[in-house]
Amino acid sequence: MLTDRDELECFLILAEELHFGRTAERMLLSRARVSQLTQRLERRVGAPLFLRTSRSVALTALGRQLREDLEPHHRGIETALAKARATAAATARAADGVLHVGFSTPPAGDLVLKTAQALRASHPNLAVEVCELPLTDPYGQLRKGEFDIAFAEFPVREADLGEGPELLTEGRVLAVAAGHPLADRAALTPEDLAGVPLLSIAGDLPPYRRERQTPARTPDGRPIGRGPEVTNMAEALMMVAADRGALLTAAHTATYYARPGVVYLPVEDTPPVGYGLIWRAADTTGAVRAFARAAERVAGRDSAPRTTAPRATAPRP
């Protein structure tokens, strides 16, 4: 006998919430409808899936088994539907002649705009819309189909995302409070990072991105402290100015985010920060390929790689 998808959705949400009211709110249904779906599934199975009292809801042993068996398949279905929606959205945008491009940093945004301008000559009917990627979720909007392609920090080690060549590089700097003991140094080495807690980015970042942003140890094995989590650059620099921690970041930050009370110090002998284009590997459209080719041409002509950064200072409070 076939099982209604609403029954399975209701079962999994109720198994998570263990509360009929919250389940009804999440499903935008009445409590009576949630109860009806649950009872219908239990009749199909032939035994109770939940233990209900006036004060609590709990899974039976059979309910726990069913949840464990269903969850991997449910995630697979949701992933497949999300991919289908993303493909449909990208196809619709391609039909309308619009390419949505994300960028992670101001230099990346500058290259995206130059690429869009260069693309007008060969693809006059292709409009390019540009938006910044959130610091806390660099890949989420791309996966959802809200962007077709993005200019992001490398490396990108995601199985579902394709990437082009590295197009920009720059050095790294440490942002510290103007009154910090390191602030008078001309430059730093990676070992100096052990002397100050590093601000970390909030969100579910891949481990390799988090380690690059906030390494746990110096090359010699000395532990590096952890400061507060931040969600955007303005918040990060506010924390730095208040001496709540230091920010290890790309060299362009000193130019684009000058702030009173913050000093940027070059960190020597560290791998440069690289940037390139990424897109959904299963959804490489002609417009995406055209933009990638144009970006490579623009980067080769107009964007000289930077591997070091000048010392940038700010007025002391």
Side-chain angles (χ1 to χ4, degrees):
M1 181 181 292
L2 294 177
T3 302
D4 192 304
R5 186 169 181 265
D6 286 344
E7 294 176 13
L8 300 181
E9 186 83 17
C10 182
F11 167 73
L12 290 172
I13 294 176
L14 183 56
E16 177 184 342
E17 296 287 352
L18 296 178
H19 191 281
F20 279 83
R22 289 194 295 269
T23 300
E25 290 176 3
R26 283 180 59 177
M27 296 191 71
L28 302 178
L29 299 174
S30 67
R31 292 179 62 135
R33 180 58 176 162
V34 169
S35 180
Q36 181 186 46
L37 290 170
T38 302
Q39 292 171 4
R40 198 164 71 187
L41 181 61
E42 288 177 327
R43 285 195 298 271
R44 293 181 192 274
V45 172
L49 299 171
F50 296 93
L51 296 173
R52 308 166 179 82
T53 69
S54 59
R55 295 186 177 181
S56 66
V57 178
L59 282 163
T60 64
L62 180 61
R64 289 193 295 273
Q65 176 190 316
L66 182 61
R67 181 187 185 184
E68 291 174 2
D69 291 341
L70 280 178
E71 280 187 331
H73 301 288
H74 183 261
R75 285 195 298 270
I77 291 171
E78 293 301 312
T79 298
L81 289 173
K83 287 182 178 179
R85 286 192 293 267
T87 301
T91 301
R93 284 197 297 270
D96 293 337
V98 179
L99 189 71
H100 290 72
V101 183
F103 66 91
S104 61
T105 64
D110 291 343
L111 184 59
V112 166
L113 291 176
K114 290 179 180 178
T115 301
Q117 185 175 6
L119 203 59
R120 291 193 191 117
S122 58
H123 295 73
N125 295 323
L126 179 62
V128 176
E129 294 187 1
V130 179
C131 187
E132 186 174 8
L133 300 172
L135 192 64
T136 57
D137 188 13
Y139 312 131
Q141 290 175 305
L142 181 62
R143 285 182 166 128
K144 293 175 185 175
E146 296 174 21
F147 295 119
D148 302 298
I149 190 169
F151 204 128
E153 183 177 331
F154 276 12
V156 177
R157 300 168 186 159
E158 306 297 307
D160 61 328
L161 299 180
E163 64 180 63
E166 190 174 81
L167 300 181
L168 293 177
T169 60
E170 58 180 332
R172 305 178 87 183
V173 297
L174 186 72
V176 299
H180 192 276
L182 293 175
D184 291 329
R185 299 273 296 274
L188 304 177
T189 71
E191 293 304 314
D192 293 314
L193 300 179
V196 59
L198 294 180
L199 300 178
S200 58
I201 306 302
D204 188 21
L205 296 183
Y208 63 89
R209 282 290 301 268
R210 192 168 293 282
E211 174 61 23
R212 188 171 175 83
Q213 174 67 37
T214 51
R217 295 185 177 276
T218 69
D220 287 348
R222 299 167 63 199
I224 300 174
R226 285 288 181 272
E229 288 191 338
V230 295
T231 60
N232 56 63
M233 189 59 68
E235 181 182 354
L237 295 181
M238 178 181 68
M239 290 289 186
V240 172
D243 204 16
R244 296 282 303 278
L247 179 67
L248 183 62
T249 184
H252 75 265
T253 311
T255 301
Y256 287 89
Y257 297 98
R259 189 189 192 282
V262 174
V263 174
Y264 293 94
L265 306 169
V267 182
E268 299 175 343
D269 300 322
T270 57
V273 181
Y275 304 90
L277 291 168
I278 61 175
W279 53 83
R280 293 181 300 279
D283 188 24
T284 308
T285 65
V288 165
R289 289 192 291 269
F291 189 90
R293 288 193 297 267
E296 290 184 41
R297 291 194 297 269
V298 170
R301 183 179 67 239
D302 297 334
S303 303
R306 292 177 57 192
T307 56
T308 59
R311 173 187 169 87
T313 60
R316 295 179 181 272

